[in-house]
Amino acid sequence: MAKHIEFSATGGPEVLRYCEFTPTDPAPDEVQIENKAIGINYIDTYVRSGLYPPAGLPSRLGTEAAGVVTKVGSNVSYIKIGERVAYAQSGLGAYSEVHNVPANKLAILPDAISFEQAAASLLKGLTVYYLFYQTHKVQAGETFLFHAAAGGVGLIACQWAKALGAKLIGTVGSDEKANLAKAAGAWQTINYNRENIVERVLELTDGKKVDVVYDSVGQATWLDSLDSLAPRGLMVSFGNASGPVTGVNVGLLNQKGSLFLTRPSLNGYITTHEELAEASKTLFDFIASGKINVDVRENQKFPLSEAVRAHRTLESRATHGSSLLIP
Ligand SMILES: NC(=O)c1ccc[n+]([C@@H]2O[C@H](COP(=O)([O-])OP(=O)(O)OC[C@H]3O[C@@H](n4cnc5c(N)ncnc54)[C@H](OP(=O)(O)O)[C@@H]3O)[C@@H](O)[C@H]2O)c1
């Protein structure tokens, strides 16, 4: 027997239950991982709430963790029992002591990367990788806008932008978060609870605005993001922390300056084992070299049994950087 989180109805954090289950053997193309640290991602709240409905109920939760391989499916030859691995794209069920994961979704952990560092960074870091190298290629010297800059994805983005020599303008919900984003490498910050985003972007760019906005806040920032873009700029809408953007009139893109709009997801960019190996190596090299720090605050490491409290904390906007569940 093992312990995991499941839920029988979608809803608030209180639907999550910590209970026993009987793990099955891995399928031929899977391996079984004993999780040592589990990544908490905002997307987990969308699945739990029903915004991204699970395939059926009761459902398991979570797609990211790091741990040790304990069993290997019959078709898997290149991964061995005892190996240290991490994953960010499993089927639902990573909020668990053990999880069966397709072997081609595993990244082998270099010695320099701890389980906690990997679980705190893989999903979020792969996201920054595709956003900065593929959705739009961020250039040295380029100025761009990135929302929720002190969050899990956000603090990695600040550090990555600095490493690329780019000037990230980060929005944040408090002055404390502004200081964190600045310390991580944001060029400038905007506290969107008391400053006007569009006015500040105009000021910071000498009236030019920016060529790309990365927006994971969604509904609350949608119009300000479009208004922060220079003509023919790119709006990258990649999340819904404040609620989804719906009912868009595409004529708006014309009115706001012949803008481009994309709504990307990690699973649409990192699709093969080779792509995962390359992107995770880039991320882990940055962490090992000290250019990207993903250490998690002690009060954001929650026991697996306290997933309810972890979700409440994340959704109350009280977290800085990444959070973990520890089995
Ligand atoms: N499309 C993809 O491939 C992909 C992949 C990974 C993550 N994401 C998205 O990226 C975003 C960040 O994910 P994360 O896991 O790192 O979470 P996070 O940024 O640590 O937490 C979300 C943050 O959003 C901000 N926020 C703004 N309005 C909010 C509201 N009404 N309610 C709650 N939070 C609000 C808060 O920061 P402030 O207090 O500073 O406002 C909060 O801390 C999420 O939207 C997620 O869905 C997308």
Side-chain angles (χ1 to χ4, degrees), residues 7 39-53 61-64 88 92 95 123-124 127 153 238-241 263 265-267 311 314-315:
F7 57 108
I40 301 178
N41 291 286
Y42 219 87
I43 191 174
D44 305 335
T45 71
Y46 307 148
V47 175
R48 187 213 71 222
S49 72
L51 179 64
Y52 295 176
L61 194 61
T63 58
E64 176 182 46
L92 293 179
Y95 283 20
L123 193 150
K124 299 167 184 79
T127 300
V153 175
F238 72 103
N240 328 281
R263 179 56 178 91
S265 73
L266 178 61
N267 290 344
H311 272 215
L314 180 63
E315 288 178 284

PDB file of all heavy atoms in Angstrom, residues 7 39-53 61-64 88 92 95 123-124 127 153 238-241 263 265-267 311 314-315:
ATOM      1  N   PHE A   7      -9.411  13.077  -5.475  1.00  0.00           N
ATOM      2  CA  PHE A   7     -10.630  13.873  -5.239  1.00  0.00           C
ATOM      3  C   PHE A   7     -11.780  13.264  -6.032  1.00  0.00           C
ATOM      4  O   PHE A   7     -11.594  12.778  -7.142  1.00  0.00           O
ATOM      5  CB  PHE A   7     -10.421  15.358  -5.559  1.00  0.00           C
ATOM      6  CG  PHE A   7      -9.957  15.664  -6.966  1.00  0.00           C
ATOM      7  CD1 PHE A   7     -10.821  16.243  -7.890  1.00  0.00           C
ATOM      8  CD2 PHE A   7      -8.655  15.394  -7.375  1.00  0.00           C
ATOM      9  CE1 PHE A   7     -10.392  16.545  -9.187  1.00  0.00           C
ATOM     10  CE2 PHE A   7      -8.226  15.692  -8.671  1.00  0.00           C
ATOM     11  CZ  PHE A   7      -9.091  16.262  -9.559  1.00  0.00           C
ATOM     12  N   GLY A  39       6.333  18.515  -7.297  1.00  0.00           N
ATOM     13  CA  GLY A  39       6.138  19.909  -7.688  1.00  0.00           C
ATOM     14  C   GLY A  39       4.672  20.302  -7.596  1.00  0.00           C
ATOM     15  O   GLY A  39       3.794  19.552  -8.015  1.00  0.00           O
ATOM     16  N   ILE A  40       4.413  21.489  -7.028  1.00  0.00           N
ATOM     17  CA  ILE A  40       3.054  22.038  -7.006  1.00  0.00           C
ATOM     18  C   ILE A  40       2.987  23.096  -8.095  1.00  0.00           C
ATOM     19  O   ILE A  40       3.833  23.994  -8.144  1.00  0.00           O
ATOM     20  CB  ILE A  40       2.739  22.695  -5.640  1.00  0.00           C
ATOM     21  CG1 ILE A  40       2.889  21.672  -4.510  1.00  0.00           C
ATOM     22  CG2 ILE A  40       1.325  23.284  -5.644  1.00  0.00           C
ATOM     23  CD1 ILE A  40       2.651  22.261  -3.116  1.00  0.00           C
ATOM     24  N   ASN A  41       1.998  22.974  -8.973  1.00  0.00           N
ATOM     25  CA  ASN A  41       1.860  23.914 -10.076  1.00  0.00           C
ATOM     26  C   ASN A  41       0.455  24.499 -10.109  1.00  0.00           C
ATOM     27  O   ASN A  41      -0.509  23.819  -9.746  1.00  0.00           O
ATOM     28  CB  ASN A  41       2.161  23.210 -11.403  1.00  0.00           C
ATOM     29  CG  ASN A  41       3.620  22.853 -11.500  1.00  0.00           C
ATOM     30  OD1 ASN A  41       4.457  23.739 -11.714  1.00  0.00           O
ATOM     31  ND2 ASN A  41       3.958  21.590 -11.286  1.00  0.00           N
ATOM     32  N   TYR A  42       0.381  25.739 -10.592  1.00  0.00           N
ATOM     33  CA  TYR A  42      -0.934  26.379 -10.614  1.00  0.00           C
ATOM     34  C   TYR A  42      -1.937  25.573 -11.429  1.00  0.00           C
ATOM     35  O   TYR A  42      -3.124  25.536 -11.110  1.00  0.00           O
ATOM     36  CB  TYR A  42      -0.838  27.831 -11.117  1.00  0.00           C
ATOM     37  CG  TYR A  42      -1.771  28.712 -10.332  1.00  0.00           C
ATOM     38  CD1 TYR A  42      -1.378  29.298  -9.141  1.00  0.00           C
ATOM     39  CD2 TYR A  42      -3.094  28.876 -10.749  1.00  0.00           C
ATOM     40  CE1 TYR A  42      -2.259  30.044  -8.384  1.00  0.00           C
ATOM     41  CE2 TYR A  42      -3.985  29.626  -9.995  1.00  0.00           C
ATOM     42  CZ  TYR A  42      -3.557  30.200  -8.816  1.00  0.00           C
ATOM     43  OH  TYR A  42      -4.448  30.927  -8.062  1.00  0.00           O
ATOM     44  N   ILE A  43      -1.439  24.876 -12.451  1.00  0.00           N
ATOM     45  CA  ILE A  43      -2.346  24.067 -13.277  1.00  0.00           C
ATOM     46  C   ILE A  43      -3.057  23.000 -12.431  1.00  0.00           C
ATOM     47  O   ILE A  43      -4.191  22.616 -12.731  1.00  0.00           O
ATOM     48  CB  ILE A  43      -1.596  23.426 -14.480  1.00  0.00           C
ATOM     49  CG1 ILE A  43      -2.587  22.828 -15.473  1.00  0.00           C
ATOM     50  CG2 ILE A  43      -0.611  22.385 -14.027  1.00  0.00           C
ATOM     51  CD1 ILE A  43      -1.944  22.298 -16.744  1.00  0.00           C
ATOM     52  N   ASP A  44      -2.416  22.555 -11.354  1.00  0.00           N
ATOM     53  CA  ASP A  44      -3.061  21.545 -10.494  1.00  0.00           C
ATOM     54  C   ASP A  44      -4.362  22.100  -9.905  1.00  0.00           C
ATOM     55  O   ASP A  44      -5.325  21.358  -9.688  1.00  0.00           O
ATOM     56  CB  ASP A  44      -2.119  21.118  -9.356  1.00  0.00           C
ATOM     57  CG  ASP A  44      -0.770  20.626  -9.865  1.00  0.00           C
ATOM     58  OD1 ASP A  44      -0.687  20.155 -11.022  1.00  0.00           O
ATOM     59  OD2 ASP A  44       0.223  20.710  -9.096  1.00  0.00           O
ATOM     60  N   THR A  45      -4.382  23.414  -9.656  1.00  0.00           N
ATOM     61  CA  THR A  45      -5.608  24.016  -9.100  1.00  0.00           C
ATOM     62  C   THR A  45      -6.709  24.073 -10.158  1.00  0.00           C
ATOM     63  O   THR A  45      -7.886  23.986  -9.831  1.00  0.00           O
ATOM     64  CB  THR A  45      -5.357  25.431  -8.526  1.00  0.00           C
ATOM     65  OG1 THR A  45      -5.130  26.365  -9.603  1.00  0.00           O
ATOM     66  CG2 THR A  45      -4.170  25.463  -7.580  1.00  0.00           C
ATOM     67  N   TYR A  46      -6.309  24.218 -11.451  1.00  0.00           N
ATOM     68  CA  TYR A  46      -7.322  24.250 -12.521  1.00  0.00           C
ATOM     69  C   TYR A  46      -7.966  22.862 -12.673  1.00  0.00           C
ATOM     70  O   TYR A  46      -9.154  22.745 -12.942  1.00  0.00           O
ATOM     71  CB  TYR A  46      -6.721  24.623 -13.876  1.00  0.00           C
ATOM     72  CG  TYR A  46      -5.895  25.884 -13.950  1.00  0.00           C
ATOM     73  CD1 TYR A  46      -4.823  25.967 -14.840  1.00  0.00           C
ATOM     74  CD2 TYR A  46      -6.178  27.004 -13.170  1.00  0.00           C
ATOM     75  CE1 TYR A  46      -4.058  27.118 -14.956  1.00  0.00           C
ATOM     76  CE2 TYR A  46      -5.400  28.153 -13.276  1.00  0.00           C
ATOM     77  CZ  TYR A  46      -4.342  28.201 -14.171  1.00  0.00           C
ATOM     78  OH  TYR A  46      -3.573  29.342 -14.279  1.00  0.00           O
ATOM     79  N   VAL A  47      -7.144  21.817 -12.520  1.00  0.00           N
ATOM     80  CA  VAL A  47      -7.674  20.441 -12.643  1.00  0.00           C
ATOM     81  C   VAL A  47      -8.611  20.165 -11.462  1.00  0.00           C
ATOM     82  O   VAL A  47      -9.723  19.671 -11.624  1.00  0.00           O
ATOM     83  CB  VAL A  47      -6.517  19.414 -12.685  1.00  0.00           C
ATOM     84  CG1 VAL A  47      -7.056  17.988 -12.681  1.00  0.00           C
ATOM     85  CG2 VAL A  47      -5.629  19.662 -13.898  1.00  0.00           C
ATOM     86  N   ARG A  48      -8.144  20.530 -10.262  1.00  0.00           N
ATOM     87  CA  ARG A  48      -8.950  20.316  -9.055  1.00  0.00           C
ATOM     88  C   ARG A  48     -10.273  21.084  -9.099  1.00  0.00           C
ATOM     89  O   ARG A  48     -11.327  20.572  -8.719  1.00  0.00           O
ATOM     90  CB  ARG A  48      -8.129  20.753  -7.838  1.00  0.00           C
ATOM     91  CG  ARG A  48      -8.753  20.452  -6.489  1.00  0.00           C
ATOM     92  CD  ARG A  48      -8.387  21.526  -5.476  1.00  0.00           C
ATOM     93  NE  ARG A  48      -9.053  22.766  -5.765  1.00  0.00           N
ATOM     94  CZ  ARG A  48      -8.500  23.979  -5.695  1.00  0.00           C
ATOM     95  NH1 ARG A  48      -7.248  24.142  -5.299  1.00  0.00           N
ATOM     96  NH2 ARG A  48      -9.211  25.062  -6.003  1.00  0.00           N
ATOM     97  N   SER A  49     -10.235  22.324  -9.604  1.00  0.00           N
ATOM     98  CA  SER A  49     -11.450  23.165  -9.599  1.00  0.00           C
ATOM     99  C   SER A  49     -12.418  22.785 -10.708  1.00  0.00           C
ATOM    100  O   SER A  49     -13.583  23.168 -10.675  1.00  0.00           O
ATOM    101  CB  SER A  49     -11.077  24.642  -9.764  1.00  0.00           C
ATOM    102  OG  SER A  49     -10.658  24.892 -11.097  1.00  0.00           O
ATOM    103  N   GLY A  50     -11.917  22.060 -11.732  1.00  0.00           N
ATOM    104  CA  GLY A  50     -12.777  21.704 -12.856  1.00  0.00           C
ATOM    105  C   GLY A  50     -12.611  22.633 -14.047  1.00  0.00           C
ATOM    106  O   GLY A  50     -13.227  22.428 -15.091  1.00  0.00           O
ATOM    107  N   LEU A  51     -11.742  23.688 -13.930  1.00  0.00           N
ATOM    108  CA  LEU A  51     -11.481  24.545 -15.098  1.00  0.00           C
ATOM    109  C   LEU A  51     -10.871  23.713 -16.229  1.00  0.00           C
ATOM    110  O   LEU A  51     -11.209  23.889 -17.399  1.00  0.00           O
ATOM    111  CB  LEU A  51     -10.536  25.696 -14.708  1.00  0.00           C
ATOM    112  CG  LEU A  51     -10.158  26.663 -15.824  1.00  0.00           C
ATOM    113  CD1 LEU A  51     -11.370  27.434 -16.345  1.00  0.00           C
ATOM    114  CD2 LEU A  51      -9.076  27.652 -15.354  1.00  0.00           C
ATOM    115  N   TYR A  52      -9.937  22.809 -15.869  1.00  0.00           N
ATOM    116  CA  TYR A  52      -9.428  21.803 -16.825  1.00  0.00           C
ATOM    117  C   TYR A  52      -9.924  20.452 -16.295  1.00  0.00           C
ATOM    118  O   TYR A  52      -9.206  19.800 -15.526  1.00  0.00           O
ATOM    119  CB  TYR A  52      -7.906  21.782 -16.860  1.00  0.00           C
ATOM    120  CG  TYR A  52      -7.202  23.024 -17.365  1.00  0.00           C
ATOM    121  CD1 TYR A  52      -5.815  23.078 -17.337  1.00  0.00           C
ATOM    122  CD2 TYR A  52      -7.890  24.130 -17.874  1.00  0.00           C
ATOM    123  CE1 TYR A  52      -5.131  24.204 -17.789  1.00  0.00           C
ATOM    124  CE2 TYR A  52      -7.208  25.252 -18.315  1.00  0.00           C
ATOM    125  CZ  TYR A  52      -5.828  25.290 -18.267  1.00  0.00           C
ATOM    126  OH  TYR A  52      -5.138  26.401 -18.710  1.00  0.00           O
ATOM    127  N   PRO A  53     -11.119  20.009 -16.658  1.00  0.00           N
ATOM    128  CA  PRO A  53     -11.721  18.846 -15.989  1.00  0.00           C
ATOM    129  C   PRO A  53     -10.888  17.574 -16.169  1.00  0.00           C
ATOM    130  O   PRO A  53     -10.377  17.318 -17.261  1.00  0.00           O
ATOM    131  CB  PRO A  53     -13.077  18.685 -16.694  1.00  0.00           C
ATOM    132  CG  PRO A  53     -13.280  19.923 -17.491  1.00  0.00           C
ATOM    133  CD  PRO A  53     -11.929  20.525 -17.757  1.00  0.00           C
ATOM    134  N   LEU A  61      -4.032  13.596  -8.900  1.00  0.00           N
ATOM    135  CA  LEU A  61      -3.635  14.977  -9.218  1.00  0.00           C
ATOM    136  C   LEU A  61      -2.119  15.084  -9.347  1.00  0.00           C
ATOM    137  O   LEU A  61      -1.382  14.323  -8.729  1.00  0.00           O
ATOM    138  CB  LEU A  61      -4.158  15.916  -8.119  1.00  0.00           C
ATOM    139  CG  LEU A  61      -4.129  17.412  -8.420  1.00  0.00           C
ATOM    140  CD1 LEU A  61      -4.993  17.756  -9.624  1.00  0.00           C
ATOM    141  CD2 LEU A  61      -4.603  18.213  -7.210  1.00  0.00           C
ATOM    142  N   GLY A  62      -1.680  16.057 -10.117  1.00  0.00           N
ATOM    143  CA  GLY A  62      -0.257  16.386 -10.208  1.00  0.00           C
ATOM    144  C   GLY A  62       0.431  15.658 -11.348  1.00  0.00           C
ATOM    145  O   GLY A  62       0.089  14.519 -11.679  1.00  0.00           O
ATOM    146  N   THR A  63       1.418  16.366 -11.962  1.00  0.00           N
ATOM    147  CA  THR A  63       2.136  15.777 -13.097  1.00  0.00           C
ATOM    148  C   THR A  63       3.653  15.879 -12.932  1.00  0.00           C
ATOM    149  O   THR A  63       4.382  15.536 -13.849  1.00  0.00           O
ATOM    150  CB  THR A  63       1.760  16.501 -14.407  1.00  0.00           C
ATOM    151  OG1 THR A  63       2.082  17.891 -14.270  1.00  0.00           O
ATOM    152  CG2 THR A  63       0.278  16.348 -14.728  1.00  0.00           C
ATOM    153  N   GLU A  64       4.135  16.362 -11.772  1.00  0.00           N
ATOM    154  CA  GLU A  64       5.572  16.645 -11.653  1.00  0.00           C
ATOM    155  C   GLU A  64       6.140  16.139 -10.329  1.00  0.00           C
ATOM    156  O   GLU A  64       5.556  16.391  -9.264  1.00  0.00           O
ATOM    157  CB  GLU A  64       5.786  18.160 -11.704  1.00  0.00           C
ATOM    158  CG  GLU A  64       7.244  18.580 -11.498  1.00  0.00           C
ATOM    159  CD  GLU A  64       7.428  20.093 -11.501  1.00  0.00           C
ATOM    160  OE1 GLU A  64       6.643  20.791 -10.838  1.00  0.00           O
ATOM    161  OE2 GLU A  64       8.363  20.551 -12.169  1.00  0.00           O
ATOM    162  N   ALA A  88       7.827  15.994 -15.520  1.00  0.00           N
ATOM    163  CA  ALA A  88       6.901  17.134 -15.420  1.00  0.00           C
ATOM    164  C   ALA A  88       5.650  16.905 -16.253  1.00  0.00           C
ATOM    165  O   ALA A  88       4.747  17.732 -16.256  1.00  0.00           O
ATOM    166  CB  ALA A  88       7.603  18.397 -15.900  1.00  0.00           C
ATOM    167  N   LEU A  92      -2.051  12.294 -14.606  1.00  0.00           N
ATOM    168  CA  LEU A  92      -2.388  12.762 -13.255  1.00  0.00           C
ATOM    169  C   LEU A  92      -2.040  11.688 -12.234  1.00  0.00           C
ATOM    170  O   LEU A  92      -2.288  10.501 -12.475  1.00  0.00           O
ATOM    171  CB  LEU A  92      -3.880  13.085 -13.162  1.00  0.00           C
ATOM    172  CG  LEU A  92      -4.367  14.283 -13.992  1.00  0.00           C
ATOM    173  CD1 LEU A  92      -5.878  14.458 -13.820  1.00  0.00           C
ATOM    174  CD2 LEU A  92      -3.612  15.550 -13.619  1.00  0.00           C
ATOM    175  N   TYR A  95       0.934  13.550  -7.168  1.00  0.00           N
ATOM    176  CA  TYR A  95       0.742  13.830  -5.738  1.00  0.00           C
ATOM    177  C   TYR A  95       0.605  12.475  -5.037  1.00  0.00           C
ATOM    178  O   TYR A  95      -0.487  12.072  -4.599  1.00  0.00           O
ATOM    179  CB  TYR A  95      -0.529  14.641  -5.492  1.00  0.00           C
ATOM    180  CG  TYR A  95      -0.508  16.119  -5.793  1.00  0.00           C
ATOM    181  CD1 TYR A  95       0.423  16.703  -6.645  1.00  0.00           C
ATOM    182  CD2 TYR A  95      -1.466  16.967  -5.212  1.00  0.00           C
ATOM    183  CE1 TYR A  95       0.403  18.063  -6.909  1.00  0.00           C
ATOM    184  CE2 TYR A  95      -1.491  18.326  -5.469  1.00  0.00           C
ATOM    185  CZ  TYR A  95      -0.554  18.871  -6.320  1.00  0.00           C
ATOM    186  OH  TYR A  95      -0.598  20.221  -6.579  1.00  0.00           O
ATOM    187  N   LEU A 123       8.934  21.495 -14.420  1.00  0.00           N
ATOM    188  CA  LEU A 123       7.786  21.951 -15.226  1.00  0.00           C
ATOM    189  C   LEU A 123       7.897  23.458 -15.509  1.00  0.00           C
ATOM    190  O   LEU A 123       7.718  23.914 -16.642  1.00  0.00           O
ATOM    191  CB  LEU A 123       6.474  21.623 -14.506  1.00  0.00           C
ATOM    192  CG  LEU A 123       5.211  21.765 -15.361  1.00  0.00           C
ATOM    193  CD1 LEU A 123       4.125  20.783 -14.892  1.00  0.00           C
ATOM    194  CD2 LEU A 123       4.649  23.169 -15.357  1.00  0.00           C
ATOM    195  N   LYS A 124       8.239  24.201 -14.476  1.00  0.00           N
ATOM    196  CA  LYS A 124       8.281  25.660 -14.626  1.00  0.00           C
ATOM    197  C   LYS A 124       9.460  26.080 -15.524  1.00  0.00           C
ATOM    198  O   LYS A 124       9.348  26.992 -16.340  1.00  0.00           O
ATOM    199  CB  LYS A 124       8.376  26.321 -13.251  1.00  0.00           C
ATOM    200  CG  LYS A 124       7.166  25.986 -12.368  1.00  0.00           C
ATOM    201  CD  LYS A 124       7.382  26.367 -10.914  1.00  0.00           C
ATOM    202  CE  LYS A 124       6.233  25.944 -10.020  1.00  0.00           C
ATOM    203  NZ  LYS A 124       6.257  24.497  -9.648  1.00  0.00           N
ATOM    204  N   THR A 127       8.889  25.330 -19.107  1.00  0.00           N
ATOM    205  CA  THR A 127       7.955  26.342 -19.622  1.00  0.00           C
ATOM    206  C   THR A 127       8.714  27.599 -20.035  1.00  0.00           C
ATOM    207  O   THR A 127       8.528  28.121 -21.141  1.00  0.00           O
ATOM    208  CB  THR A 127       6.899  26.669 -18.546  1.00  0.00           C
ATOM    209  OG1 THR A 127       6.189  25.467 -18.242  1.00  0.00           O
ATOM    210  CG2 THR A 127       5.927  27.737 -19.015  1.00  0.00           C
ATOM    211  N   VAL A 153       7.004  30.083 -11.847  1.00  0.00           N
ATOM    212  CA  VAL A 153       7.513  30.302 -13.204  1.00  0.00           C
ATOM    213  C   VAL A 153       8.235  31.651 -13.252  1.00  0.00           C
ATOM    214  O   VAL A 153       9.311  31.777 -13.852  1.00  0.00           O
ATOM    215  CB  VAL A 153       6.356  30.268 -14.235  1.00  0.00           C
ATOM    216  CG1 VAL A 153       6.868  30.622 -15.630  1.00  0.00           C
ATOM    217  CG2 VAL A 153       5.675  28.892 -14.253  1.00  0.00           C
ATOM    218  N   PHE A 238      -0.473  32.457 -21.473  1.00  0.00           N
ATOM    219  CA  PHE A 238      -0.126  31.060 -21.145  1.00  0.00           C
ATOM    220  C   PHE A 238      -0.658  30.598 -19.789  1.00  0.00           C
ATOM    221  O   PHE A 238      -0.213  29.566 -19.272  1.00  0.00           O
ATOM    222  CB  PHE A 238       1.390  30.824 -21.280  1.00  0.00           C
ATOM    223  CG  PHE A 238       2.251  31.446 -20.211  1.00  0.00           C
ATOM    224  CD1 PHE A 238       2.784  30.668 -19.188  1.00  0.00           C
ATOM    225  CD2 PHE A 238       2.543  32.792 -20.231  1.00  0.00           C
ATOM    226  CE1 PHE A 238       3.581  31.225 -18.191  1.00  0.00           C
ATOM    227  CE2 PHE A 238       3.334  33.366 -19.244  1.00  0.00           C
ATOM    228  CZ  PHE A 238       3.854  32.581 -18.219  1.00  0.00           C
ATOM    229  N   GLY A 239      -1.656  31.311 -19.239  1.00  0.00           N
ATOM    230  CA  GLY A 239      -2.215  30.842 -17.974  1.00  0.00           C
ATOM    231  C   GLY A 239      -3.432  31.647 -17.563  1.00  0.00           C
ATOM    232  O   GLY A 239      -3.788  32.639 -18.219  1.00  0.00           O
ATOM    233  N   ASN A 240      -4.067  31.193 -16.471  1.00  0.00           N
ATOM    234  CA  ASN A 240      -5.361  31.760 -16.041  1.00  0.00           C
ATOM    235  C   ASN A 240      -5.418  32.002 -14.541  1.00  0.00           C
ATOM    236  O   ASN A 240      -6.438  31.753 -13.923  1.00  0.00           O
ATOM    237  CB  ASN A 240      -6.511  30.792 -16.333  1.00  0.00           C
ATOM    238  CG  ASN A 240      -6.294  29.945 -17.564  1.00  0.00           C
ATOM    239  OD1 ASN A 240      -6.485  30.427 -18.663  1.00  0.00           O
ATOM    240  ND2 ASN A 240      -5.894  28.700 -17.392  1.00  0.00           N
ATOM    241  N   ALA A 241      -4.351  32.471 -13.906  1.00  0.00           N
ATOM    242  CA  ALA A 241      -4.360  32.566 -12.441  1.00  0.00           C
ATOM    243  C   ALA A 241      -5.539  33.401 -11.928  1.00  0.00           C
ATOM    244  O   ALA A 241      -6.084  33.125 -10.868  1.00  0.00           O
ATOM    245  CB  ALA A 241      -3.037  33.137 -11.938  1.00  0.00           C
ATOM    246  N   ARG A 263      -1.680  30.982 -27.630  1.00  0.00           N
ATOM    247  CA  ARG A 263      -2.060  30.386 -26.335  1.00  0.00           C
ATOM    248  C   ARG A 263      -1.344  29.036 -26.242  1.00  0.00           C
ATOM    249  O   ARG A 263      -1.912  27.990 -26.536  1.00  0.00           O
ATOM    250  CB  ARG A 263      -3.580  30.230 -26.288  1.00  0.00           C
ATOM    251  CG  ARG A 263      -4.131  29.586 -25.000  1.00  0.00           C
ATOM    252  CD  ARG A 263      -3.674  30.369 -23.773  1.00  0.00           C
ATOM    253  NE  ARG A 263      -4.208  29.810 -22.519  1.00  0.00           N
ATOM    254  CZ  ARG A 263      -3.597  28.882 -21.782  1.00  0.00           C
ATOM    255  NH1 ARG A 263      -2.455  28.352 -22.170  1.00  0.00           N
ATOM    256  NH2 ARG A 263      -4.127  28.482 -20.658  1.00  0.00           N
ATOM    257  N   SER A 265       1.091  25.746 -24.726  1.00  0.00           N
ATOM    258  CA  SER A 265       1.203  24.901 -23.528  1.00  0.00           C
ATOM    259  C   SER A 265       2.462  24.044 -23.622  1.00  0.00           C
ATOM    260  O   SER A 265       2.951  23.745 -24.723  1.00  0.00           O
ATOM    261  CB  SER A 265      -0.018  23.999 -23.383  1.00  0.00           C
ATOM    262  OG  SER A 265       0.050  22.980 -24.348  1.00  0.00           O
ATOM    263  N   LEU A 266       2.975  23.654 -22.466  1.00  0.00           N
ATOM    264  CA  LEU A 266       4.200  22.849 -22.404  1.00  0.00           C
ATOM    265  C   LEU A 266       4.085  21.595 -23.264  1.00  0.00           C
ATOM    266  O   LEU A 266       4.997  21.258 -24.017  1.00  0.00           O
ATOM    267  CB  LEU A 266       4.464  22.471 -20.929  1.00  0.00           C
ATOM    268  CG  LEU A 266       5.673  21.594 -20.668  1.00  0.00           C
ATOM    269  CD1 LEU A 266       6.955  22.275 -21.121  1.00  0.00           C
ATOM    270  CD2 LEU A 266       5.760  21.254 -19.178  1.00  0.00           C
ATOM    271  N   ASN A 267       2.947  20.913 -23.158  1.00  0.00           N
ATOM    272  CA  ASN A 267       2.817  19.654 -23.889  1.00  0.00           C
ATOM    273  C   ASN A 267       2.720  19.848 -25.401  1.00  0.00           C
ATOM    274  O   ASN A 267       2.867  18.900 -26.161  1.00  0.00           O
ATOM    275  CB  ASN A 267       1.612  18.846 -23.381  1.00  0.00           C
ATOM    276  CG  ASN A 267       1.873  18.305 -21.983  1.00  0.00           C
ATOM    277  OD1 ASN A 267       3.020  18.279 -21.526  1.00  0.00           O
ATOM    278  ND2 ASN A 267       0.827  17.890 -21.285  1.00  0.00           N
ATOM    279  N   HIS A 311      -2.608  24.056  -1.436  1.00  0.00           N
ATOM    280  CA  HIS A 311      -3.401  24.715  -2.483  1.00  0.00           C
ATOM    281  C   HIS A 311      -3.987  26.031  -1.987  1.00  0.00           C
ATOM    282  O   HIS A 311      -4.022  27.014  -2.726  1.00  0.00           O
ATOM    283  CB  HIS A 311      -4.516  23.772  -2.970  1.00  0.00           C
ATOM    284  CG  HIS A 311      -4.067  22.877  -4.085  1.00  0.00           C
ATOM    285  ND1 HIS A 311      -4.887  22.490  -5.114  1.00  0.00           N
ATOM    286  CD2 HIS A 311      -2.860  22.309  -4.341  1.00  0.00           C
ATOM    287  CE1 HIS A 311      -4.197  21.710  -5.951  1.00  0.00           C
ATOM    288  NE2 HIS A 311      -2.977  21.576  -5.494  1.00  0.00           N
ATOM    289  N   LEU A 314      -1.190  28.605  -2.127  1.00  0.00           N
ATOM    290  CA  LEU A 314      -0.855  29.029  -3.493  1.00  0.00           C
ATOM    291  C   LEU A 314      -1.940  29.957  -4.043  1.00  0.00           C
ATOM    292  O   LEU A 314      -1.643  31.010  -4.623  1.00  0.00           O
ATOM    293  CB  LEU A 314      -0.707  27.794  -4.396  1.00  0.00           C
ATOM    294  CG  LEU A 314      -0.353  28.070  -5.861  1.00  0.00           C
ATOM    295  CD1 LEU A 314       1.015  28.742  -5.975  1.00  0.00           C
ATOM    296  CD2 LEU A 314      -0.359  26.771  -6.682  1.00  0.00           C
ATOM    297  N   GLU A 315      -3.198  29.586  -3.837  1.00  0.00           N
ATOM    298  CA  GLU A 315      -4.286  30.379  -4.429  1.00  0.00           C
ATOM    299  C   GLU A 315      -4.508  31.708  -3.703  1.00  0.00           C
ATOM    300  O   GLU A 315      -5.142  32.613  -4.247  1.00  0.00           O
ATOM    301  CB  GLU A 315      -5.580  29.557  -4.468  1.00  0.00           C
ATOM    302  CG  GLU A 315      -5.504  28.464  -5.516  1.00  0.00           C
ATOM    303  CD  GLU A 315      -6.749  27.600  -5.548  1.00  0.00           C
ATOM    304  OE1 GLU A 315      -6.904  26.748  -4.646  1.00  0.00           O
ATOM    305  OE2 GLU A 315      -7.566  27.756  -6.459  1.00  0.00           O
TER     306      GLU A 315
END
